[in-house]
Amino acid sequence: MIATHPDADHIGGLDDVLKAFEVENVYAPDVSHTTKTYNDFVLEVRNEGTYIKTTKAGITLINPALAAVIGCPSFSNVYLLGPVKNYGTDLNSWSAVMKLDFGISSYLFTGDADRISEKDMIDNGMFLNADVLKVGHHGSNSSTSQEFLKEVNPKYAVISVGKNNNYGHPAQEILERLEMYKVDLFRTDLQGHIIAISDGNKINFNVEPINTVNFMEDAQESAPQKTSILITNLDVSDEKVTICNKTDEDVDLTGWVLVSEVGNQKFNFPDGYILKAGKCVNILSGRNAIDEPPTNLKWTGAYIWNNDGDIAALYDAEGILISRVEF
């Protein structure tokens, strides 16, 4: 486990991850915070009977010999490029920066590392070139300097950012810079989960890239549709999601999943459930939920949807995002 830095949006929930999984090593930068979120993380590390190892430039986490021992492909390398220095109270600059080499493909994960950290990595002689760049600080103009982008020279960039966030992320300046360098861009606010699958040679993504800085407004309202199975209504008060088949063919929804993104709760469609052409189904939860297939399917008697705002996302049996609606 690598906790990039103590900010809540990067460290929140890691205590639950530690409880849920067997974690052999925990890494974090040598900087602390006073927040409850950070203290919960540190406390759970102690409860697990382990300690935090320090992230810093030059540390190798996985090499080919170790990869073979732990069951990874023997051509895997994972190492840290940052933080390079002590950055005082500048938590973003402390971000752990990780490079993954997998065959002839490579990936650079930058956390919230800002321009100071980027310059230090360049000055430190780090080999930054990577096929896939996780863009720093959610696309803020405090990161992804022109010098850094030139060194990384990515083919693909992924911006992990909340939809309609209050920070103005991603910055127009960064979008224009990525377009200037002809980088294929992916964004979680517009496309949901971004999944890159590699065999060590070719890299495939679960969605198509966005290659314009002026993306159409209607594309921001929902993820790209792979089929015409659409979430047509999300009613958080009545605890009802309506999904409709807009095609002229019946569709087998076996293995499909409906997700409440805020609560990270999942509804799995029953095996063999067929959504008829031109028909809709209601997924119901809460006290009044009923199970009357094929029109109504009961999720649970518990309340699922957040009345202050939630997002419904529909995935097919291969885990590809099909439809996404925000309330």
Side-chain angles (χ1 to χ4, degrees):
M1 173 185 285
I2 301 174
T4 60
H5 62 298
D7 280 352
D9 60 323
H10 288 255
I11 209 168
L14 289 187
D15 53 331
D16 289 327
V17 177
L18 281 165
K19 294 173 185 175
F21 293 92
E22 183 178 345
V23 178
E24 192 163 317
N25 294 294
V26 180
Y27 287 87
D30 189 19
V31 62
S32 62
H33 208 344
T34 58
T35 62
K36 184 178 185 300
T37 302
Y38 180 77
N39 290 333
D40 287 345
F41 164 65
V42 173
L43 179 60
E44 188 56 37
V45 171
R46 293 172 182 167
N47 290 340
E48 294 294 321
T50 187
Y51 64 97
I52 298 174
K53 296 183 178 181
T54 301
T55 58
K56 59 183 178 180
I59 293 179
T60 297
L61 303 178
I62 298 176
N63 57 31
L66 177 59
V69 171
I70 65 177
C72 293
S74 59
F75 44 82
S76 301
N77 286 283
V78 180
Y79 43 95
L80 297 174
L81 305 182
V84 174
K85 298 178 180 178
N86 184 315
Y87 295 98
T89 59
D90 184 356
L91 297 182
N92 287 336
S93 292
W94 277 102
S95 285
V97 177
M98 186 185 80
K99 179 87 176 289
L100 163 64
D101 292 333
F102 181 64
I104 63 172
S105 62
S106 54
Y107 311 79
L108 185 63
F109 302 91
T110 59
D112 278 354
D114 60 18
R115 295 185 183 207
I116 297 173
S117 180
E118 291 174 351
K119 184 178 185 304
D120 287 340
M121 285 186 278
I122 295 171
D123 293 345
N124 206 34
M126 296 295 185
F127 182 62
L128 297 168
N129 185 271
D131 296 304
V132 180
L133 170 65
K134 202 291 291 182
V135 175
H137 202 185
H138 319 287
S140 166
N141 59 12
S142 65
S143 303
T144 319
S145 66
Q146 187 163 327
E147 295 77 14
F148 185 73
L149 191 58
K150 183 177 179 181
E151 289 289 327
V152 179
N153 191 29
K155 298 175 185 175
Y156 312 102
V158 179
I159 298 179
S160 179
V161 61
K163 186 176 181 180
N164 300 324
N165 64 85
N166 295 325
Y167 303 98
H169 299 159
Q172 187 74 8
E173 173 188 346
I174 301 304
L175 297 178
E176 292 173 354
R177 184 169 298 151
L178 291 167
E179 187 169 53
M180 180 178 69
Y181 278 85
K182 296 180 169 55
V183 182
D184 283 347
L185 176 62
F186 302 87
R187 288 173 54 175
T188 61
D189 59 332
L190 303 182
Q191 298 170 288
H193 295 296
I194 308 298
I195 304 171
I197 301 173
S198 173
D199 59 3
N201 183 9
K202 186 177 180 180
I203 304 171
N204 293 309
F205 287 83
N206 63 319
V207 291
E208 295 298 316
I210 300 168
N211 284 318
T212 176
V213 296
N214 297 312
F215 200 66
M216 296 299 292
E217 182 67 25
D218 58 356
Q220 298 181 23
E221 297 304 317
S222 62
Q225 308 301 333
K226 295 295 183 182
T227 72
S228 290
I229 309 296
L230 305 175
I231 300 173
T232 60
N233 181 56
L234 167 59
D235 190 326
V236 297
S237 298
D238 287 345
E239 293 278 320
K240 179 173 74 173
V241 180
T242 304
I243 299 170
C244 296
N245 181 356
K246 300 291 187 178
T247 74
D248 56 5
E249 297 181 356
D250 297 347
V251 176
D252 186 351
L253 298 188
T254 299
W256 287 48
V257 177
L258 174 66
V259 177
S260 161
E261 291 193 4
V262 171
N264 192 30
Q265 299 178 86
K266 301 177 182 180
F267 170 78
N268 297 292
F269 282 84
D271 290 348
Y273 180 80
I274 305 296
L275 185 56
K276 298 287 187 178
K279 298 296 183 179
C280 299
V281 59
N282 298 312
I283 310 302
L284 306 172
S285 51
R287 184 183 309 167
N288 298 318
I290 55 175
D291 196 34
E292 296 177 340
T295 305
N296 297 303
L297 295 178
K298 181 178 179 178
W299 182 338
T300 173
Y303 290 93
I304 294 294
W305 301 99
N306 189 326
N307 285 7
D308 293 328
D310 210 329
I311 299 173
L314 180 66
Y315 296 85
D316 69 10
E318 296 180 355
I320 296 174
L321 179 65
I322 301 301
S323 183
R324 188 169 182 264
V325 170
E326 181 176 0
F327 175 84

